[in-house]
Amino acid sequence: MDALSQPLAEWVYLRPIREADTELVIPWRNKERVRHNFIYQKPFTREGHLNWLRTQVEPGHVVQFIICETGSDRPVGSVYFRDIDREKSIAEYGIFIGEDDVLGKGYGTQAAKLALAYAFEELQLQTVFLRVFADNAAARKSYENAGFCLIENRQEEVTIGGIARTVVFYEIENSRGLRQR
């Protein structure tokens, strides 16, 4: 059976991020196509990323994984939950695919489903939301395929480099996410 006919669950898996992944994450996040789709667009540095790991990931404010291809174990991107509010059972979701050759193959959708299962089952979150630029059609399609729903009438304008862009919000609730798995 070729890879395209296999279920997506066999294409990728998630593993916790490690300090050694810094050498992958920095060039991924500094790629123009990745940076362009993040609200925070300043260049990533080794020092900044190590600080992120120490101050956000290690104390549990952020849970971050590396997306790996099944079989080859090749890292291809990252997913994370940030601003985790354990009292309100809510967090913000983020993802980036760093390797160009896997774009459009459904890896992002599968990674989102795996990450959401972790968020609902292990972190006991009730709601996961995300922000995405309205003009990022590929990401929006992936989020919708993973079960996220657009929050109607919730958007904001941000200006980056003198250009105004619209940000829309999506969310998924625990009971809904578990039914769709």
Side-chain angles (χ1 to χ4, degrees):
M1 183 185 311
D2 67 4
L4 292 177
S5 61
Q6 293 177 357
L8 283 175
E10 295 180 26
W11 292 0
V12 299
Y13 67 91
L14 305 179
R15 67 162 172 77
I17 194 168
R18 303 183 291 242
E19 186 174 320
D21 295 317
T22 300
E23 303 312 316
L24 294 170
V25 171
I26 293 169
W28 286 342
R29 276 292 273 119
N30 285 332
K31 283 186 176 186
E32 179 57 29
R33 75 163 167 78
V34 175
R35 263 195 10 224
H36 176 74
N37 287 310
F38 270 81
I39 294 170
Y40 181 82
Q41 294 190 359
K42 293 181 181 173
F44 265 44
T45 64
R46 177 175 176 71
E47 297 75 26
H49 189 258
L50 292 175
N51 185 57
W52 167 265
L53 293 175
R54 276 191 304 278
T55 64
Q56 299 300 310
V57 176
E58 289 174 13
H61 305 301
V62 171
V63 173
Q64 188 165 1
F65 298 99
I66 296 296
I67 306 165
C68 297
E69 286 183 308
T70 302
S72 71
D73 297 324
R74 178 175 73 132
V76 296
S78 183
V79 295
Y80 57 91
F81 298 100
R82 60 174 282 163
D83 300 325
I84 299 169
D85 185 330
R86 297 184 194 281
E87 286 183 25
K88 294 180 181 175
S89 299
I90 190 168
E92 182 175 358
Y93 174 78
I95 183 171
F96 55 91
I97 302 295
E99 298 299 330
D100 296 336
D101 65 320
V102 302
L103 294 174
K105 292 186 175 183
Y107 285 23
T109 299
Q110 182 58 39
K113 289 179 179 180
L114 293 170
L116 288 168
Y118 181 88
F120 295 145
E121 294 166 14
E122 302 299 324
L123 298 177
Q124 298 293 301
L125 297 177
Q126 291 303 307
T127 305
V128 175
F129 73 95
L130 63 85
R131 298 174 291 166
V132 61
F133 287 119
D135 62 0
N136 189 345
R140 291 180 67 175
K141 179 180 175 185
S142 178
Y143 298 142
E144 290 166 5
N145 288 341
F148 283 94
C149 295
L150 180 67
I151 302 173
E152 296 292 334
N153 301 317
R154 181 157 183 218
Q155 62 183 36
E156 62 186 36
E157 297 293 320
V158 297
T159 302
I160 301 170
I163 299 171
R165 293 181 74 188
T166 302
V167 175
V168 294
F169 291 74
Y170 282 78
E171 71 180 356
I172 187 169
E173 294 184 7
N174 188 347
S175 61
R176 198 157 163 210
L178 293 176
R179 279 201 307 268
Q180 289 194 1
R181 286 188 46 210

